[in-house]
């Protein structure tokens, strides 16, 4: 069996946070296909990575798809001189996930069986409210109520408002500050969510790397007092470990980082320098299934829990889930909402997240079967098969 073609699919995903998903179909000369994903955060990034995936055909076409580690290194090293993180790691991730899917299908076993076997039967989730409905107390109460009623026991949200006139983009960093007035709004929202969710639901606060050091410290201290926060995610931008160290030294709430770290080499200094209490690599950005398993094993040696960032599409969630089913130091896995309808419309069999727990599909490989007619009907900008 040989790799025949890499086919990126850029598809509209109405009802999802992202608005579109970027999937990868790896086709073989024997008709066994594998699926990966590398949905990023902007239209420009999705189209750039899709083009890179198409170009990567010349690197992997004709290779044995069972030689997953070999293909990983061939792709990774091909981008060394332009920088092997970021988009390069995205390309590696998508291909790697698809090759594990193919291997499982060829052998007739789920991916987690190839990674040492399961240490648990299902995976507790954390999920997000629709914050566009947070304009009133009733809107917050409705959103939090739906999540709690669905059986989820952990909720992640970003309580930090944007100043009037400021772009509504969480990945935009300008001066890194937040006014005292907006800080009060964040504290009040956090306290309200704690009141509505009850004392036993874990609250995870995401700062999206928006703040400078003194602001991140001030907000972390205030929110900890307001709502008993389980973690404080990306309090400062990911580029400076020194900034993260300063925040960590001054706040009590546990720190979580990792969705914007790529490969084991980015996670090694975080673990060595005790900069985080949780790590949250994204299987579609950090290097795929192969790399997520290695990062989780590294974190296990430091007794640091792993909680994958899996807020994109169905392959993102399920690929991360297969690894986490095998990982002793697993905390929770992320889903973008308590209702997975935005994922399920692409699949022939819906995902099972009853009672806030993910049960992986039972088939070989990833266990996902895409509705190709639906994919074709929603493909965009010439990316699809």
């Amino acid at each position: 069996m040989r790799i025949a073609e890499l086919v990126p699919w850029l598809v509209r995903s109405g009802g999802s946070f992202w608005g579109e998903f970027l999937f990868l179909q790896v086709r073989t000369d024997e008709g066994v296909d594998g699926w990966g994903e590398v949905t990023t955060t902007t239209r420009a990034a999705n189209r750039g990575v899709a083009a890179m995936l198409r170009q990567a055909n010349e690197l992997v076409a004709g290779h044995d798809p069972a030689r997953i580690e070999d293909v990983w290194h061939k792709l990774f090293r091909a981008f060394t001189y332009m920088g092997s993180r970021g988009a390069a790691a995205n390309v590696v991730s998508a291909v790697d996930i698809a090759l594990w899917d193919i291997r499982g299908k060829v052998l007739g076993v789920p991916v987690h069986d190839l990674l040492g076997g399961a240490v648990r039967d299902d995976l507790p989730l954390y999920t997000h409210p629709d914050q566009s409905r947070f304009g009133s107390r009733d809107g917050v109460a409705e959103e939090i109520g739906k999540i709690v009623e669905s059986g989820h026991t952990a909720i992640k949200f970003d309580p930090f408002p944007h100043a009037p006139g400021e772009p509504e983009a969480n990945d935009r960093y300008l001066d890194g500050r937040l006014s005292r007035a907006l800080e009060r709004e964040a504290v009040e929202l956090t306290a309200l969510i704690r009141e509505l969710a009850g004392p036993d639901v874990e609250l995870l606060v995401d700062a999206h790397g928006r703040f400078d050091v003194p602001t991140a410290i001030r907000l972390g201290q205030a929110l900890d007092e307001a709502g008993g926060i389980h973690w404080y995610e990306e309090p400062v931008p990911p580029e400076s470990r020194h900034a993260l160290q300063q925040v960590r030294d001054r706040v009590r709430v546990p720190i979580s980082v990792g969705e914007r770290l790529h490969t084991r080499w980015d996670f090694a200094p975080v673990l060595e320098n005790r900069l985080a209490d949780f790590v949250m690599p994204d299987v579609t950005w950090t290097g795929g299934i192969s790399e997520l398993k290695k990062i989780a094993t590294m974190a296990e040696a430091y007794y640091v829990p792993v909680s994958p960032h899996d807020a994109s599409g169905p392959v993102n969630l399920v690929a991360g889930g297969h690894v986490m089913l095998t990982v002793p130091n697993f905390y929770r896995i992320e889903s973008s909402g308590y209702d997975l309808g935005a994922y399920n419309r692409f699949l022939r069999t819906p995902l099972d997240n009853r009672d806030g727990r993910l049960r992986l599909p039972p088939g070989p490989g990833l266990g996902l079967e895409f509705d190709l007619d639906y994919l074709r009907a929603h493909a965009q900008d010439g990316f699809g098969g």
Side-chain angles (χ1 to χ4, degrees):
M1 181 182 290
R2 298 292 166 182
I3 296 171
E5 186 180 11
L6 307 183
V7 181
W9 290 80
L10 186 59
V11 294
R12 296 186 304 278
S13 60
S16 78
F17 172 80
W18 305 98
E20 60 187 18
F21 294 137
L22 176 54
F23 301 124
L24 175 69
Q25 182 184 24
V26 175
R27 297 173 177 169
T28 69
D29 59 358
E30 295 187 15
V32 181
D33 297 345
W35 289 89
E37 183 182 349
V38 62
T39 304
T40 60
T41 59
T42 66
R43 285 174 50 84
N46 279 334
R47 283 149 186 78
V49 174
M52 290 176 68
L53 284 165
R54 207 173 253 171
Q55 194 66 36
N57 270 290
E58 67 181 57
L59 296 172
V60 300
H63 277 256
D64 181 352
R67 297 185 62 169
I68 299 171
E69 188 76 10
D70 186 36
V71 172
W72 194 100
H73 282 275
K74 181 178 179 62
L75 281 170
F76 184 74
R77 299 300 172 186
F79 295 104
T80 296
Y81 286 92
M82 66 171 281
S84 53
R85 310 298 195 268
N90 293 171
V91 169
V92 173
S93 300
V95 174
D96 182 83
I97 294 166
L99 295 187
W100 280 103
D101 190 26
I102 290 169
R103 192 62 184 152
K105 289 173 179 176
V106 169
L107 297 177
V109 297
V111 167
H112 60 80
D113 274 4
L114 303 175
L115 300 174
V119 298
R120 57 184 57 85
D121 296 323
D122 57 18
L123 300 161
L125 293 155
Y126 73 81
T127 195
H128 298 251
D130 179 356
Q131 292 194 217
S132 69
R133 300 178 57 81
F134 276 16
S136 67
R137 180 186 174 96
D138 288 345
V140 178
E142 182 178 353
E143 278 299 301
I144 300 303
K146 287 178 180 177
I147 292 173
V148 173
E149 289 170 12
S150 71
H152 287 76
T153 55
I155 300 171
K156 185 163 87 173
F157 61 101
D158 181 340
F160 306 110
H162 291 265
E166 181 185 2
E168 291 285 335
N170 286 324
D171 55 2
R172 180 78 177 271
Y173 181 89
L174 292 175
D175 61 16
R177 297 193 291 269
L178 193 74
S179 70
R180 295 284 180 174
L182 295 180
E183 176 189 334
R184 285 195 298 273
E185 289 186 31
V187 169
E188 290 167 3
L189 176 59
T190 302
L192 175 58
I193 291 175
R194 168 55 69 205
E195 174 190 337
L196 295 168
D200 298 327
V201 172
E202 293 166 356
L203 301 186
L204 317 176
V205 166
D206 191 350
H208 285 105
R210 279 177 55 196
F211 303 118
D212 63 19
V213 169
T215 304
I217 292 170
R218 193 183 86 232
L219 296 175
Q221 292 171 344
L223 289 173
D224 186 39
E225 295 172 3
I229 302 305
H230 196 74
W231 84 30
Y232 186 25
E233 179 179 326
E234 284 197 314
V236 291
E239 290 82 12
S240 173
R241 292 195 296 272
H242 298 289
L244 183 60
Q245 180 71 67
Q246 287 178 269
V247 176
R248 180 158 174 74
D249 289 344
R250 295 286 302 281
V251 300
R252 294 186 309 170
V253 64
I255 299 291
S256 178
V257 297
E259 70 184 72
R260 284 186 273 184
L261 301 182
H262 302 94
T263 77
R264 75 204 87 153
W265 292 285
D266 276 2
F267 281 90
V270 170
L271 294 168
E272 289 167 356
N273 293 288
R274 298 173 290 180
L275 297 180
D277 301 283
F278 297 88
V279 291
M280 42 176 297
D282 187 309
V283 68
T284 65
W285 298 342
T286 202
I289 286 172
S290 299
E291 199 68 1
L292 178 57
K293 178 69 173 180
K294 292 171 183 175
I295 293 165
T297 301
M298 286 170 52
E300 184 184 2
Y302 291 86
Y303 297 102
V304 171
V306 179
S307 185
H309 175 268
D310 288 323
S312 300
V315 179
N316 187 197
L317 177 62
V318 170
H322 274 281
V323 180
M324 291 302 104
L325 212 64
T326 73
V327 168
N329 53 316
F330 164 68
Y331 165 55
R332 291 177 184 269
I333 198 164
E334 179 178 22
S335 67
S336 59
Y338 72 92
D339 180 351
L340 298 183
Y343 297 176
N344 292 333
R345 65 191 61 179
F346 292 94
L347 307 174
R348 296 199 176 278
T349 303
L351 298 175
D352 181 357
N353 68 333
R354 287 171 294 134
D355 302 319
R357 305 183 76 87
L358 180 66
R359 298 156 189 85
L360 292 177
L366 295 176
L368 297 173
E369 184 181 0
F370 276 89
D371 183 337
L372 291 176
D373 291 335
Y374 190 89
L375 282 178
R376 292 188 187 101
H378 292 81
Q380 301 184 98
D381 297 347
F383 291 104

